[in-house]
């Protein structure tokens, strides 16, 4: 009765009639990957911009990574956007130089030809601050000398000055590792200031150091310097 098979409560025959399997997509034509470009590298991986298309339905975007000097190839699949264009974050969590390639996959299981993206260096090592110095203090300001090292590429320093009354000044200084930067004192007040310097690299790794020093606004202090070496 009702077309149900007598195979017990919610047996295989019953569930097959109530919840039939969706029809398989008949598709023998492979999709095409139009674009595979590196857009960003961060400390645990990188972001790829991928664009693929298929005559029926694109379902996944594939990314292969292989670390230098190893034989291990890791394949990852990501859900494809409806229009086939999107960015995927490939989290690796291990520093090293990786060969990267990508492909597109459709609902029929067909995959496009693999496209070589190239080599990506995932950098998880923080920079090292080597020298912070406040010197040449005059009525108009002071000179800030900074030096840091990195295993890849440094992007610069973030310098933050905070007074004992809660005033705060911050500036980002572009640098490839070292430099002397004049700091105007026109908006600094008398008191004890904390100076904090953070060095950052292109993958977002940072290293910081802070110290406190006395500053008297509008007063020249020739020969006075505060220097820290790391």
């Amino acid at each position: 009765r009702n077309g149900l098979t007598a195979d017990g409560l919610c047996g295989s025959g019953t569930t097959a009639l109530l919840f039939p399997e969706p029809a398989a997509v008949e598709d023998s034509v492979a999709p095409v990957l139009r674009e595979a470009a590196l857009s960003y590298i961060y400390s645990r991986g990188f972001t790829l911009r991928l664009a693929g298309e298929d005559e029926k339905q694109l379902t996944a975007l594939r990314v292969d990574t292989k670390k230098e000097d190893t034989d291990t190839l890791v394949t990852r699949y990501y859900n494809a956007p409806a229009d086939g264009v999107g960015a995927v974050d490939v989290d690796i969590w291990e520093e090293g130089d990786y060969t990267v390639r990508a492909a597109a996959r459709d609902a029929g299981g067909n995959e496009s030809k693999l496209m070589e993206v190239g080599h990506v260096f995932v950098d998880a090592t923080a920079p090292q601050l080597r020298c912070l110095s406040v010197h040449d203090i005059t009525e108009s300001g002071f000179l800030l000398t900074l030096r840091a090292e990195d295993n890849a590429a440094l992007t610069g320093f973030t310098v933050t000055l905070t007074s004992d009354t809660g005033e705060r000044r911050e500036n980002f200084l572009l640098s490839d590792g070292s430099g002397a930067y004049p700091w105007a004192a026109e908006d600094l007040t008398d008191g004890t200031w904390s100076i904090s310097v953070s060095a950052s690299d292109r993958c977002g790794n940072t290293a910081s150091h802070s110290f406190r020093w006395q500053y008297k606004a509008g007063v020249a202090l020739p020969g006075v310097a505060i220097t820290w070496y790391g």
Side-chain angles (χ1 to χ4, degrees), residues 181-230:
Y181 309 93
W183 195 286
E186 57 188 18
D187 63 344
L188 297 183
T189 58
D190 294 354
T192 301
W193 288 80
S194 294
I195 182 167
S196 176
V197 177
S198 176
S200 56
D201 64 22
R202 67 179 182 180
C203 286
N205 302 297
T206 61
S208 303
H209 185 75
S210 301
F211 57 75
R212 295 167 67 85
W213 59 293
Q214 291 287 330
Y215 179 74
K216 185 73 173 177
V219 176
L221 300 173
V224 175
I226 301 176
T227 302
W228 171 86
Y229 294 100

Side-chain angles (χ1 to χ4, degrees), residues 102-149:
R105 183 182 179 91
D106 65 20
N110 306 296
E111 290 197 359
S112 68
K113 293 181 179 179
L114 286 162
M115 181 180 292
E116 299 291 338
V117 178
H119 290 269
V120 177
F121 179 66
V122 177
D123 178 14
T125 301
Q128 291 183 307
L129 283 166
R130 295 304 189 189
C131 177
L132 314 178
S133 179
V134 178
H135 55 101
D136 293 355
I137 303 171
T138 68
E139 294 92 339
S140 58
F142 54 87
L143 199 62
L144 184 62
T145 297
L146 307 173
R147 184 167 61 87
E149 298 174 353

